[in-house]
Amino acid sequence: MSAKRMTLEARNSSDVSGLSQAVRSLRFAAGLIVLALPLSGCGTGALWDKFMAKDDTFVEEPADKLYNEGLYMMNQKKDPKAASKKFEEVDRQHPYSDWARKSLLMSAYSFYQAGDYDSCIGAASRYVTLHPGSPDAAYAQYLIAASHFDQIPDISRDQGRTEKAINALQEVVRKYPTSEYATSAKSKLEAARDQLAGKEMAVGKYYMEKRDFTAAINRYKSVVTQYQTTRHVEEALYRLTEAYMAIGINGEAQTAAAVLGHNFPDSRWYKDAYNLVKSGGLEPSENQGSYISRAFKKMGLG
């Protein structure tokens, strides 16, 4: 065998031996690491926990500081969402303080300003439940009503939210009749009732087009008996005149026209009702026993 070949074989043997030794060293080191991990009782575990732990240190802030920061975000920064977080933090960190009571109401107001009506209703409802005797309970109840009112849909859609608004607004008037919010609640209440009357009129006209006069009469009847103070009542009385004439119940048609003329003599709807009754050879004539007549007398309008 040549010296050169012997030298190469010796070098290769040495390289293999060195590689094997390196692999064994790595395996040994890895074993030491694995053995070290469970040794929590010997200090290594505590050191590992300290190394891996996150800094969850809680720093409690003064209630008045958080509250004033909320006011700053609301008034200066015009950021009601950020303000609501500050007010909620007061309630979280200082739940039994007077600042928490104030912050709960301000949270409701912040949510309202941000257009987060469901959160506003939740916070305001909680305030009314926890602090029913507070001077600010009237405002909390008003925020609930206003949140429902601002979500009233157009008359082509379901009016469930309108009914909730009416109930909440009536609650403001009933519970706090002398408060400054009662006047505004009454105004919103009329608008909400007008919306429901408009919905009834729209459905009534649909039935009239289908020549389902009985169904149409039921819709117009609800406007006359429940929503006499809305702007739709004049047309409802005319439509009742029209529908009753169509099915030959002339007495109710005459009563509807007469009540319309008595309460709204200058209405264009009365002129149409009068001409319609006259075209049938009749005159407007009020039957005092009719539900139409009774509905207006009950309201002091007849």
Side-chain angles (χ1 to χ4, degrees):
M1 180 181 295
S2 67
K4 182 177 182 180
R5 181 174 179 182
M6 291 176 61
T7 301
L8 288 174
E9 287 180 352
R11 183 180 300 171
N12 291 337
S13 175
S14 176
D15 289 346
V16 171
S17 176
L19 180 59
S20 299
Q21 185 176 357
V23 170
R24 286 195 298 271
S25 298
L26 287 173
R27 287 176 178 172
F28 178 74
L32 289 178
I33 292 173
V34 172
L35 287 173
L37 291 177
L39 300 180
S40 57
C42 300
T44 306
L47 182 62
W48 178 264
D49 291 343
K50 185 175 181 181
F51 176 78
M52 295 298 294
K54 296 180 180 179
D55 185 10
D56 290 328
T57 305
F58 172 74
V59 179
E60 183 177 290
E61 296 185 79
D64 59 337
K65 178 177 180 291
L66 289 169
Y67 183 84
N68 287 326
E69 286 176 351
L71 291 181
Y72 175 77
M73 297 305 295
M74 173 64 72
N75 298 325
Q76 271 68 46
K77 290 294 186 179
K78 308 297 181 184
D79 189 348
K81 287 186 178 180
S84 66
K85 292 180 181 179
K86 291 293 182 180
F87 294 130
E88 285 185 309
E89 194 63 21
V90 175
D91 188 39
R92 190 175 76 86
Q93 293 190 26
H94 310 277
Y96 304 110
S97 66
D98 191 50
W99 289 107
R101 178 183 63 81
K102 296 177 181 178
S103 293
L104 181 56
L105 185 63
M106 288 304 299
S107 290
Y109 175 69
S110 299
F111 286 131
Y112 179 77
Q113 290 296 316
D116 187 351
Y117 297 119
D118 289 341
S119 294
C120 174
I121 292 169
S125 298
R126 184 165 168 250
Y127 186 94
V128 171
T129 300
L130 295 175
H131 312 288
S134 166
D136 294 319
Y139 182 57
Q141 185 65 51
Y142 179 77
L143 283 175
I144 296 171
S147 293
H148 285 302
F149 181 84
D150 286 359
Q151 296 182 82
I152 289 178
D154 62 67
I155 60 173
S156 65
R157 301 177 63 184
D158 178 77
Q159 295 299 304
R161 186 69 76 171
T162 307
E163 292 173 354
K164 288 181 179 180
I166 287 176
N167 291 334
L169 289 163
Q170 288 175 332
E171 197 76 353
V172 175
V173 176
R174 184 182 68 83
K175 284 186 175 180
Y176 314 102
T178 60
S179 72
E180 60 184 301
Y181 309 108
T183 300
S184 179
K186 288 177 182 177
S187 177
K188 282 182 167 57
L189 189 56
E190 282 302 308
R193 288 169 59 80
D194 193 87
Q195 182 78 358
L196 288 186
K199 177 68 173 183
E200 293 296 300
M201 292 298 297
V203 177
K205 291 174 184 178
Y206 168 80
Y207 285 127
M208 286 290 282
E209 292 175 358
K210 299 293 183 181
R211 301 188 66 80
D212 187 347
F213 298 112
T214 300
I217 286 170
N218 287 333
R219 295 294 181 164
Y220 300 140
K221 179 179 179 179
S222 68
V223 176
V224 168
T225 56
Q226 298 178 47
Y227 307 112
Q228 299 97 329
T229 59
T230 69
R231 61 191 173 93
H232 297 285
V233 71
E234 297 177 34
E235 183 182 359
L237 285 167
Y238 166 73
R239 298 299 177 187
L240 282 174
T241 304
E242 184 181 34
Y244 280 125
M245 288 289 288
I247 60 177
I249 304 180
N250 296 334
E252 292 287 46
Q254 290 173 278
T255 295
V259 170
L260 178 54
H262 179 71
N263 291 280
F264 311 98
D266 298 324
S267 170
R268 72 177 182 87
W269 294 110
Y270 173 60
K271 294 181 176 63
D272 291 341
Y274 179 83
N275 291 331
L276 183 60
V277 171
K278 288 287 288 184
S279 69
L282 303 171
E283 293 285 341
S285 177
E286 184 175 354
N287 176 4
Q288 301 291 331
S290 167
Y291 74 88
I292 301 172
S293 181
R294 292 198 307 271
F296 277 79
K297 280 184 170 55
K298 183 179 179 180
M299 293 293 295
L301 300 175

